Amino acid sequence: MAAVQDGSIEPEPENEIKTETSNEVLGNPGDASGGVPPTAPVAAVATEKPAAAATDSTERQTLLAVLQFLKKSKLFESEEILRREAGLLNEIGDSQGSGAGGAALGGGGGAEPESGDASSLLSRVAGAVATAQSANATPAPAKVTPVVTGGDDQPDVNVVLAAYSQQGDPVLYPVYYSGLKRFIDSVLDCHRAELSQVFYPLFVHMYLELVYNQYEKEAKAFFDKFHGDQECYYKDDLRILSGLTKKEHMKGNETLLDFRTSKFVLRISRDSYQLLKRHLQERQNNQIWNIIQEHLYIDIFDGMPRSKGQIDSMSGSLAGEAKREANKAKVFYGLLKEPEIEVPLDDEDEEAENEEGKPKKKKPKKDSTGSKSKKQDPNAPQQSRIPLPELKDSDKLDKIMNMKEATKRVRLGPESLPSICFYTFLNAYQGLTAVDFTDDSSLVAGGFADSTVRVWSVTPKKLRGVKTAGDLSLIDKDSDDVLERIMDEKTASESKNLYGHSGPVYGISFSPDRNYLLSCSEDATVRLWSLQTFTCLVGYKGHNYPVWDTQFSPYGYYFISGGHDRVARLWATDHYQPLRIFSGHLADITCTRFHPNSNYVATGSADRTIRLWDVLNGNCVRIFTGHKGPIHCLAFSPNGKFLASGATDGRVLLWDIGHGLMIGELKGHTDTVYALKFSRDGEILASGSMDNTVRLWDATKAFDDIETDDFTAATGHITLPENSQELLLGSYMTKSTPVIHLHFTRRNLLLGAGAYNP
Amino acid sequence: MPPLQSEAALGQSYNSTASERLTKHAADDLPSGLRKEKSALLIADGMADREERKFAEVPRDSVKLMAESVGVELSDDIAAMLAEDVCYRLREAAQNSSQFMRHAKRRRLTVEDFNRALRWSNVEAVCGYGSQDALPFRPLKEGELYFVEDREINLVELALATNIPKGCAETMVRVQVSYLDGKGNVEPQGAVPTAVQSLTDDLLKYYQQVTRAILGEDQQLMKVALQDLQTNSKIAALLPYFVHVVSGVKSVSHDLEQLSRLLHMVKSLVQNPFLYLGSYIKSLVSSVMYCILEPLAASINPLNDHWTLRDYAALLLSHIFWAHGDLVGGLYHQILLSLQKVLSGSFKKLPLGFCFLTSLCVPLQAVERVLFPHLSAYWSNLQAVLDDDSVSNAQVKADGHKVYGAILVAVEKLLKMKAQSRSVPVEGSVAVRERSFPGLSPPQEPVSEPGFGIASHLLQGVAGVPAEEPVPVPLPVMYRELYAFFGDSLAVRFSTGPGIEPRASRAAPPQPPDSKKEGMGPDTTRKMPQLTASMTISPRQDSSPRNEPSLPAVQNSSAAPSRFQRSSSSSLQRSKPPPSKVAQRSAGPPREVFQKSRFPLPPAAAPFSFLIAGRQTGRRCQGRRFQTSFPQLHPPNPSAQPPRGYAHKLPVIGRMGKPVKRWVCSQYSLHLPL
């Protein structure tokens, strides 16, 4: 159903808002058609409130609150009547007209306690709305349909923004803020770090309040005075904020909406929280207290306050850290049982020949993978948890090939590093945007900014298309080499171009059986190409904005895509509508990856979080925070236990999926990490970056070193070892070629790809 | 409506008109504009202490100006609001566009990124700034005016321009092993083929090992090194170094051994399919030419078999022409010119001409064009040498014989080609291959087949220069003229009848040749058609080697007659034992005869006398006859060529059966498997 609604949406002129802001509309579908009427009044009521509070006092406040309640409950008629009776209609107009009503009131500093009451009352109302929203939104994000239609997002924005219509003296804002700052500076060291987390969200919300209430000068002054105190990793957001100086601009600003629609999550120990609470209550600092109540979600835990390092490693995301509950769900990260395939006889012979060498090689294998196929991994999902396609004969052959290759695989380790082959795209004119290799490394595909997709054969075997239907009918279908006969020799060439997209191709992915290729593009479509005929088979339309990434499931059939509209979609190749919509990210989804068992997908986003989604029910089961920049690549370890992620900040983070913990930080790259790949046995992690280097990391050591005792697992407070330099096994320069894709062949040869960039 | 709202609404409506234009206009100077903003933002970041932010801001005056230009009058405060709004929108668009840049995995923000951002915010894209070059953003001296330089383009000129720009090179993928086992850069990755590459340690080591092996003592090692040089795909970076080594021929011109090794190196390089020789081919060719043309220091000592070397070099040259004709097309004409110079020059350069002929006689056009016109002049030189019987001249004379034989061969081929092209072009081709080398100096045998390939290849090249195309000389005229020079030596090559030929050839030398040539001269015109017929019908009827084993049975002396018979056709080549090796190189039955007879022969042999006969009745020369005879098997300098040494040297060339000294494997024998 989501898709249908989504599909009908016309791109909105100035805003690209797509998140779960629309509690109201969703709750009352009838209202949606009603359209504009409620809109203006809401805003009006909201803005008008200060004025009302000034003239009359509590009585009027109550009246307004009732009015708002009526409106929220959609009792428009009663609202109208009440309004008329109270004679408020005109005043609304007046207050809006003058626009200075609030300021006039603000001048009276003596009225503070009174107006404080009023605002707290108001905030209770607004807060109720906010909590209702978030209550509805967070538990099942996937269920919430992002509904944005014509003029209907206007009311929502206004409702959201209305919460900013706090009354307060703009001149006092800096005073409040620096007061809090002084207090936090004076507390014990152990609490200071924790309480300092409050600064950033507080700063942002105070600034936005000032802007919303049109205290432009004061807002600017406030920003200039305090933005330097904020953690450096928020500088991107601050830059956006700095440009925002008008109330009108707030409506269309995504970043702002992200801030408003989700509560900023902080984790603070109970002691620290009590400290803060007591201070604010003592000082009667309602302004700040209100913000904390309304816009922040403080996740209180019992135990030792966290250190600065611990906090820094986890913060940085657009909406603060993940709530602890968000990562509590059980994740079946184990691998599925491999189907048993008998190895044909002639292979037996071959294996019998190197009998001497075999046992040594086979033994460790047994421990790592062999045991899994024997008995079910306790952490693995049910084999039929999600339906998977049946194995075809060709798939079985490929599996056999894979097994044979695997026996010849080089065992990697710190002492035996992989050889690196680099595929350089020449004459790409800065246009290469995506690369993918097939699993058997026989084909390489490139997506280009000129909307084309090109496929090259890496082996001497040329690419051939199937003959035309007329020619096919002439073929003897019973012959043994029918598969060979259907190919058209005339079309043999080293590379094929696929035309169809109308915008840069940002992501491509081969199907595991090498029969299909997926590509996603700026033109908001995902296309499925046949590698038999080299034509486009399907264009999947569902996204309304550029699609940044797509990937096939390791078992084929399913694929995932994510893009600028902040939702990831799960598709099946034979359905033209998505099967699941994963919604919850607060900014673009920049990369998507399937878990090796195909039951989960991970998405990385420009909101600097990674989410893990359950394919079965669409739930978000993990939220990882800690990156300080948009995440551009993800990689699951082959055993499915770990996840690696790379971002524009040049750092690679390692995550334990089962415990939902960050377990490592790999520092070394100086620019965006665009490629990550684990070696076939998971011993080595290779990372490729815009800084023209490939780096190899000791994954075994990184995963072994971390001690995941129950306490850490329970609290999620980890202290990362500063061991990037020890883990770094090698750093390899390319020549002016950013590395945008990495791939391990079945024998553990590392392939890299990138475009030569003179 | 309250004034504020109406104002906002006004702002909105302007947004869609003036402000949009503003956005576009401001986007024009995107690169610099962005740079400004970036620096402004950086300043903003780092200035907690500073009071004011310095963003790129559009002044309200600009807004008013632009509004006026579209005919809208704006009040100050509206202009101010618009200015601010424009700044905000611009900044927003810039931020959005950076997202497109990041996903395109680029470092540089392009106009296209910005246009995409605009398009997705429902603003028209800004056209006309897609150029890759930076747009110059200039200030005007008078007044504070800045503008983007946007020159007018003359479309007519552009459309009618003759220099059509070349298309972009096609996108391609190149693979390179960048790191082996995580160690070392084998070759810098991503290098475009023409990029200058510095040598890595591995390559340097390879270079040293290979050169040392090739020029060193160990034959086996040399063989391996040459083999590798011929097949290694990764030595492109070393090519200039090897070429440099080869160009060292001049410094070792006294050492035949070294020279021939260098030539082997050339051959390996030429045959390596992974090397693109490019301009290096010139250097290689000049080195080979040096070996052919120059009076090598090694040739002073008659003991040195410099003929082998020259022959080999000539073969190599023809191979280069054959295999790399595309690269050396221009060189071909230069070489012809220098050949012409040799022919018209003094006799000092005589041997060189010989070698040239052996190498270039294959493209027969060359013979016709260069040799034929100059023959008469050259002939007088040659004759003078051949007539001089003085001891001091012996060496030169021997060389002269070689030249004579070579010219003869060339001429013969020329005639045959002419005849063939005249009568039976299709069948003839087979016959010519069979027949064209009856007693020809053997090294040409292997070349023969591809030789036509070269010829045909070069034919096109020659045809491309119509100015040089000589007036074709009719065959009979040519034959007559040539016959005037060569007399019977030529005639016997074109035996007229199946039965006659062997006998005639055997009989001719003892007799004074005059008797026969007298008779043949007038006949030639009539005989030529017959000649072609005999060529097609009976390749084995002439002095083809295959007949020879049977011949000894007929004759009373097993070895001598056969020898004799051959000598009639190319007797000069055998006139002196040491150089005659050249002739015996042919792989075939006759060699066996010779080799068997070689040692038993001297005791039993009666003194033979070989005769070279000729008559000059050409237009320019007076009809003088010459005859040279010298005793067979009595080398002019017996002490210099002891039988042992000779026997020792003999198997050197091209014989597989015995352990060979110089060329161990057939691949490095003189045979060029073309």
Side-chain angles (χ1 to χ4, degrees), chain A residues 336-342 383 391 396 399 403 555:
Chain A
L336 295 177
K337 208 166 74 176
E338 287 291 322
E340 307 222 341
I341 300 170
E342 293 122 49
Q383 204 72 14
L391 277 187
K396 285 180 184 158
K399 281 226 180 315
M403 281 156 64
Y555 292 87

Side-chain angles (χ1 to χ4, degrees), chain A residues 169-185 195-207 210 222-223 225-231 238 279-280 283 285 287-288 291:
Chain A
D169 185 353
V171 182
L172 290 179
Y173 273 55
V175 180
Y176 294 148
Y177 188 87
S178 40
L180 183 70
K181 199 174 148 190
R182 262 198 310 283
F183 161 71
I184 291 178
D185 282 346
L195 293 181
S196 296
Q197 297 175 78
V198 178
F199 281 136
Y200 174 69
L202 213 56
F203 169 80
V204 175
H205 283 289
M206 288 172 91
Y207 176 74
L210 286 171
F222 182 78
F223 188 91
K225 192 164 180 191
F226 297 113
H227 84 273
D229 301 347
Q230 310 307 327
E231 297 287 352
L238 287 177
H279 166 78
L280 290 175
R283 300 287 299 273
N285 198 338
Q287 200 68 40
I288 289 177
I291 290 176

Side-chain angles (χ1 to χ4, degrees), chain A residues 422-495:
Chain A
F422 205 88
Y423 286 81
T424 311
F425 287 71
L426 298 173
N427 306 322
Y429 308 106
Q430 302 233 343
L432 182 72
T433 45
V435 176
D436 196 28
F437 287 95
T438 53
D439 187 64
D440 68 347
S441 318
S442 64
L443 301 175
V444 58
F448 291 85
D450 62 2
S451 320
T452 59
V453 177
R454 287 156 210 245
V455 185
W456 281 269
S457 170
V458 172
T459 58
K461 201 175 150 199
K462 297 202 166 171
L463 299 173
R464 295 170 301 175
V466 172
K467 287 177 182 163
T468 57
D471 292 344
L472 282 177
S473 61
L474 303 175
I475 291 174
D476 172 17
K477 276 142 196 104
D478 298 327
S479 67
D480 289 339
D481 59 344
V482 67
L483 285 178
E484 190 61 27
R485 289 190 187 195
I486 58 171
M487 305 314 267
D488 189 355
E489 276 307 324
K490 286 199 289 291
T491 62
S493 65
E494 265 177 29
S495 77

Side-chain angles (χ1 to χ4, degrees), chain A residues 228-459:
Chain A
D229 301 347
Q230 310 307 327
E231 297 287 352
C232 57
Y233 39 78
Y234 292 121
K235 69 169 189 286
D236 286 344
D237 291 342
L238 287 177
R239 188 175 299 166
I240 293 168
L241 267 189
S242 70
L244 188 94
T245 52
K246 289 244 181 293
K247 187 180 163 187
E248 286 77 26
H249 294 158
M250 294 174 80
K251 284 178 189 163
N253 194 300
E254 301 164 44
T255 317
L256 170 76
L257 266 155
D258 296 336
F259 237 96
R260 291 294 306 114
T261 52
S262 60
K263 286 194 163 194
F264 196 93
V265 181
L266 301 170
R267 278 192 212 175
I268 294 183
S269 69
R270 190 169 295 284
D271 295 349
S272 303
Y273 179 70
Q274 295 295 353
L275 216 58
L276 179 70
K277 196 173 164 191
R278 209 175 311 133
H279 166 78
L280 290 175
Q281 280 172 349
E282 272 170 20
R283 300 287 299 273
Q284 297 273 310
N285 198 338
N286 287 310
Q287 200 68 40
I288 289 177
W289 186 242
N290 286 340
I291 290 176
I292 290 176
Q293 291 273 296
E294 284 166 39
H295 303 305
L296 307 190
Y297 179 94
I298 297 184
D299 192 2
I300 300 162
F301 62 86
D302 295 306
M304 285 278 290
R306 292 189 292 169
S307 70
K308 176 101 174 91
Q310 281 175 325
I311 293 168
D312 279 349
S313 67
M314 298 293 284
S315 53
S317 118
L318 195 63
E321 294 179 47
K323 293 174 196 160
R324 270 176 305 159
E325 297 85 73
N327 288 339
K328 286 283 180 260
K330 167 127 177 94
V331 174
F332 302 101
Y333 56 78
L335 301 183
L336 295 177
K337 208 166 74 176
E338 287 291 322
E340 307 222 341
I341 300 170
E342 293 122 49
V343 181
L345 268 178
D346 56 313
D347 295 309
E348 258 356 317
D349 294 347
E350 196 185 295
E351 271 164 51
E353 266 181 17
N354 17 344
E355 198 71 68
E356 306 88 78
K358 264 280 132 60
K360 261 183 277 159
K361 273 220 152 173
K362 211 96 203 223
K363 265 279 150 53
K365 274 248 122 101
K366 276 261 158 56
D367 297 338
S368 57
T369 57
S371 60
K372 231 165 278 154
S373 56
K374 282 276 149 56
K375 59 176 171 31
Q376 180 76 21
D377 184 341
N379 291 311
Q382 286 286 312
Q383 204 72 14
S384 55
R385 190 164 178 269
I386 62 164
L388 293 173
E390 293 267 318
L391 277 187
K392 290 180 300 222
D393 283 354
S394 57
D395 297 331
K396 285 180 184 158
L397 277 177
D398 197 54
K399 281 226 180 315
I400 292 168
M401 277 300 294
N402 194 358
M403 281 156 64
K404 280 161 82 178
E405 291 278 296
T407 59
K408 296 170 186 161
R409 184 179 294 164
V410 182
R411 272 194 91 77
L412 299 178
E415 273 73 46
S416 61
L417 295 176
S419 300
I420 308 175
C421 261
F422 205 88
Y423 286 81
T424 311
F425 287 71
L426 298 173
N427 306 322
Y429 308 106
Q430 302 233 343
L432 182 72
T433 45
V435 176
D436 196 28
F437 287 95
T438 53
D439 187 64
D440 68 347
S441 318
S442 64
L443 301 175
V444 58
F448 291 85
D450 62 2
S451 320
T452 59
V453 177
R454 287 156 210 245
V455 185
W456 281 269
S457 170
V458 172
T459 58

Side-chain angles (χ1 to χ4, degrees), chain A residues 86-213:
Chain A
L88 275 171
L89 207 59
N90 295 334
E91 283 188 359
I92 294 164
D94 285 346
S95 68
Q96 279 202 328
S98 68
L105 137 99
E112 209 196 311
E114 210 178 22
S115 59
D117 274 354
S119 61
S120 66
L121 173 69
L122 251 183
S123 72
R124 243 173 282 145
V125 179
V129 178
T131 37
Q133 274 183 7
S134 60
N136 200 331
T138 32
K143 300 269 165 61
V144 179
T145 320
V147 175
V148 187
T149 43
D152 285 343
D153 61 332
Q154 225 61 347
D156 307 322
V157 176
N158 279 338
V159 166
V160 166
L161 293 178
Y164 272 133
S165 58
Q166 298 296 328
Q167 86 142 44
D169 185 353
V171 182
L172 290 179
Y173 273 55
V175 180
Y176 294 148
Y177 188 87
S178 40
L180 183 70
K181 199 174 148 190
R182 262 198 310 283
F183 161 71
I184 291 178
D185 282 346
S186 69
V187 298
L188 284 173
D189 283 357
C190 61
H191 300 298
R192 192 185 301 147
E194 282 205 318
L195 293 181
S196 296
Q197 297 175 78
V198 178
F199 281 136
Y200 174 69
L202 213 56
F203 169 80
V204 175
H205 283 289
M206 288 172 91
Y207 176 74
L208 290 178
E209 268 188 35
L210 286 171
V211 170
Y212 184 82
N213 292 322

Side-chain angles (χ1 to χ4, degrees), chain A residues 14-27:
Chain A
E14 82 250 58
N15 39 36
E16 307 172 349
I17 312 140
K18 298 244 112 194
T19 35
E20 68 271 3
T21 62
S22 48
N23 183 30
E24 197 182 4
V25 179
L26 192 69

